[in-house]
C-alpha cells in the first residue's frame, strides 16, 4: 500500500530588524499570493509584531496602517522619557489595544509565539500565552530605545539579543518546514547606510544633511532641553549617538543570527536587501514591503520545489 503524502506543517520565523520589519508584510503577502500559508507563526522583535497580525488574520488592515505611517505619526507614537530607555511604549501599546482586539495568544487563528530576553538572567523566553500585545511589547523592547517590559515579575527586553530569527521556536511548536526571514544579513560593513532616509539621499536642513536617526535624537534632546540647540555630529561626519547604538546592535544580531542559523537551519531563508533602510525608518513602509515581495518571489521556485518532494 503506497504511503500517503502529507503536506508538511509550515512554520514562518520572522526575524528582528526594527523598521526593516515592514518587509515581513511583503513576504507574507507574496507567500499568500503563491498559495503558501504558514501553519505556525513565530517572531522576534518587529517580527513578533507583524507575526501577531498574521496569526490574527489582520494582515490587510495592518498593511494599510503601515503604508499610512508618516514621520510625524511615528514620532507621535513615542512617549519620550529618560530612564530604562528613550521611549516608554505606553502610547504604542494603547494604540494597539484600541485598534486591535486582544483576546489572548491562545485564541489566534494560527499558533503563534514570540521571543523575549530576561534582562536579569539573560535567558531566552518563549511567550506562548496571555495577552498578544503584552507579549509583543516585551519582544520589541530594544535596549536603549524602549524601556524593558515587566511580565510576571521579570524584566524583559528584545528577543533579538538571543534569537534574532526564531527557527528553533517554530520547530518546538511542530513545524516540519521552516521559512525564515533574515532582515539584517547585509548590514555589517556598510557604514552610514543605517543612518538616513536612503543613505545616499538624506534630507537637508539648513544646508546640512539630516538623517532619520539625527532627527529622532534632535526631537528627544529638544524635548528635554527645549531652549538649547542640539549638535548631532561634528564636521567630520561623526555618527550620532543613535547611529552608534543601532549599528552596534546590528553587528551583534548579524553575528548571533549566523551562529543560530548554522546550528538550527531553516529549509528556506528569505533575505530582503534592506541596508538602505534605517532602524527607525518606520515611515518607509512602501519601500520595505516592496523589497519583501521581491525577495520572496526570488525564493518561491525553491520553496515550491522543496514542498513538492
Amino acid at each position: 500500500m503506497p504511503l500517503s503524502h502529507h503536506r508538511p506543517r509550515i512554520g514562518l520565523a520572522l526575524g528582528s530588524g526594527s523598521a526593516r520589519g515592514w518587509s515581513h508584510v511583503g513576504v507574507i503577502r507574496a507567500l499568500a499570493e503563491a498559495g503558501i500559508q504558514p501553519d505556525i507563526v513565530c517572531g522576534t522583535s518587529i517580527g513578533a509584531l507583524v507575526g501577531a497580525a498574521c496569526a490574527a488574520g489582520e494582515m490587510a488592515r495592518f498593511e494599510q496602517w503601515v503604508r499610512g505611517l508618516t514621520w510625524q505619526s511615528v514620532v507621535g507614537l513615542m512617549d519620550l522619557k529618560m530612564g530604562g530607555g528613550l521611549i516608554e511604549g505606553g502610547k504604542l501599546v494603547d494604540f494597539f489595544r484600541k485598534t486591535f482586539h486582544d483576546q489572548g495568544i491562545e485564541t489566534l487563528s494560527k499558533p503563534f509565539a514570540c521571543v523575549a530576553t530576561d534582562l536579569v538572567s539573560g535567558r531566552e523566553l518563549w511567550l506562548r500565552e496571555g495577552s498578544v500585545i503584552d507579549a509583543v511589547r516585551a519582544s520589541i523592547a530594544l535596549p536603549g530605545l524602549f524601556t524593558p517590559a515587566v511580565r510576571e515579575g521579570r524584566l524583559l527586553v528584545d528577543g533579538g539579543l538571543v534569537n534574532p530569527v526564531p527557527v528553533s521556536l517554530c520547530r518546538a511548536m511542530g513545524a516540519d518546514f521552516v521559512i525564515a526571514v533574515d532582515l539584517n544579513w547585509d548590514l555589517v560593513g556598510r557604514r552610514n547606510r543605517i543612518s538616513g532616509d536612503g543613505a545616499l539621499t538624506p534630507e537637508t536642513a539648513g544646508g546640512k544633511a539630516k538623517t532619520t536617526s539625527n532627527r529622532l535624537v534632535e526631537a528627544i534632546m529638544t524635548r528635554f532641553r527645549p531652549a538649547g540647540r542640539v549638535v548631532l555630529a561634528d564636521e567630520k561626519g561623526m555618527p550620532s549617538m543613535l547611529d552608534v547604538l543601532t549599528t552596534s546592535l546590528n553587528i551583534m544580531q548579524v553575528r548571533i543570527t549566523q551562529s543560530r542559523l548554522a546550528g538550527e537551519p531553516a529549509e528556506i531563508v528569505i533575505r530582503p536587501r534592506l541596508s538602505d533602510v534605517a532602524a527607525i525608518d518606520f515611515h518607509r513602509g512602501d519601500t520595505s514591503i516592496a523589497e519583501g515581495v521581491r525577495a520572496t518571489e526570488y525564493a518561491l521556485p525553491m520553496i515550491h520545489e522543496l514542498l513538492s518532494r
Side-chain angles (χ1 to χ4, degrees):
M1 182 176 178
L3 295 175
S4 60
H5 179 72
H6 295 285
R7 183 180 75 80
R9 296 189 76 198
I10 298 173
L12 184 61
L14 302 177
S16 60
S18 300
R20 292 180 289 275
W22 295 155
S23 188
H24 291 315
V25 175
V27 170
I28 292 167
R29 179 151 59 82
L31 288 174
E33 290 174 354
I36 299 169
Q37 293 287 349
D39 302 293
I40 297 163
V41 182
C42 298
T44 296
S45 194
I46 192 70
L49 176 57
V50 181
C54 176
E58 290 278 6
M59 283 307 300
R61 194 153 64 103
F62 186 81
E63 179 174 348
Q64 183 180 26
W65 174 72
V66 169
R67 290 185 182 276
L69 287 173
T70 63
W71 171 250
Q72 290 74 20
S73 61
V74 170
V75 172
L77 289 171
M78 296 178 179
D79 39 4
L80 303 177
K81 64 169 293 182
M82 289 292 182
L86 297 176
I87 300 169
E88 177 69 30
K91 283 187 178 181
L92 188 63
V93 169
D94 289 345
F95 170 80
F96 281 115
R97 290 200 196 283
K98 292 175 183 177
T99 307
F100 299 98
H101 194 44
D102 182 2
Q103 291 186 306
I105 292 174
E106 301 89 342
T107 69
L108 295 175
S109 59
K110 296 179 186 291
F112 169 77
C114 59
V115 180
T117 304
D118 187 314
L119 185 60
V120 176
S121 69
R123 291 179 54 200
E124 175 181 342
L125 297 179
W126 293 350
L127 307 180
R128 303 175 59 172
E129 58 186 20
S131 165
V132 178
I133 293 171
D134 289 347
V136 169
R137 169 64 179 88
S139 188
I140 67 172
L142 186 67
L145 187 60
F146 279 98
T147 58
V150 179
R151 185 182 173 97
E152 297 177 354
R154 292 188 174 111
L155 286 175
L156 304 185
V157 293
D158 197 302
L161 297 177
V162 289
N163 195 353
V165 183
V167 175
S168 56
L169 180 50
C170 279
R171 300 280 190 212
M173 294 180 67
D176 305 305
F177 186 100
V178 177
I179 301 171
V181 186
D182 178 7
L183 303 177
N184 302 316
W185 65 280
D186 64 340
L187 296 182
V188 174
R190 298 173 184 265
R191 186 178 183 274
N192 290 335
R193 279 205 162 191
I194 56 88
S195 59
D197 296 345
L200 302 179
T201 57
E203 296 180 8
T204 58
K208 288 188 176 182
K210 182 181 288 190
T211 69
T212 305
S213 297
N214 283 351
R215 285 196 292 166
L216 179 58
V217 174
E218 188 174 62
I220 292 167
M221 296 305 292
T222 301
R223 163 68 175 79
F224 291 98
R225 294 172 51 197
R229 180 177 179 274
V230 181
V231 179
L232 299 168
D234 62 24
E235 294 180 355
K236 296 180 180 179
M238 182 65 66
S240 73
M241 174 188 71
L242 198 59
D243 280 334
V244 172
L245 176 62
T246 54
T247 302
S248 300
L249 288 171
N250 286 341
I251 293 169
M252 176 194 70
Q253 291 195 52
V254 167
R255 300 309 183 204
I256 294 173
T257 300
Q258 290 172 342
S259 177
R260 292 295 297 250
L261 288 178
E264 302 157 351
E267 277 67 30
I268 289 288
V269 181
I270 296 173
R271 292 186 168 101
R273 294 184 178 274
L274 297 161
S275 61
D276 64 336
V277 177
I280 54 173
D281 277 351
F282 292 102
H283 58 296
R284 297 183 64 201
D286 288 348
T287 297
S288 294
I289 291 171
E291 177 54 21
V293 171
R294 186 209 63 79
T296 305
E297 290 177 343
Y298 180 81
L300 280 174
M302 181 61 71
I303 295 174
H304 284 304
E305 179 183 341
L306 292 175
L307 286 174
S308 66
R309 291 178 179 177

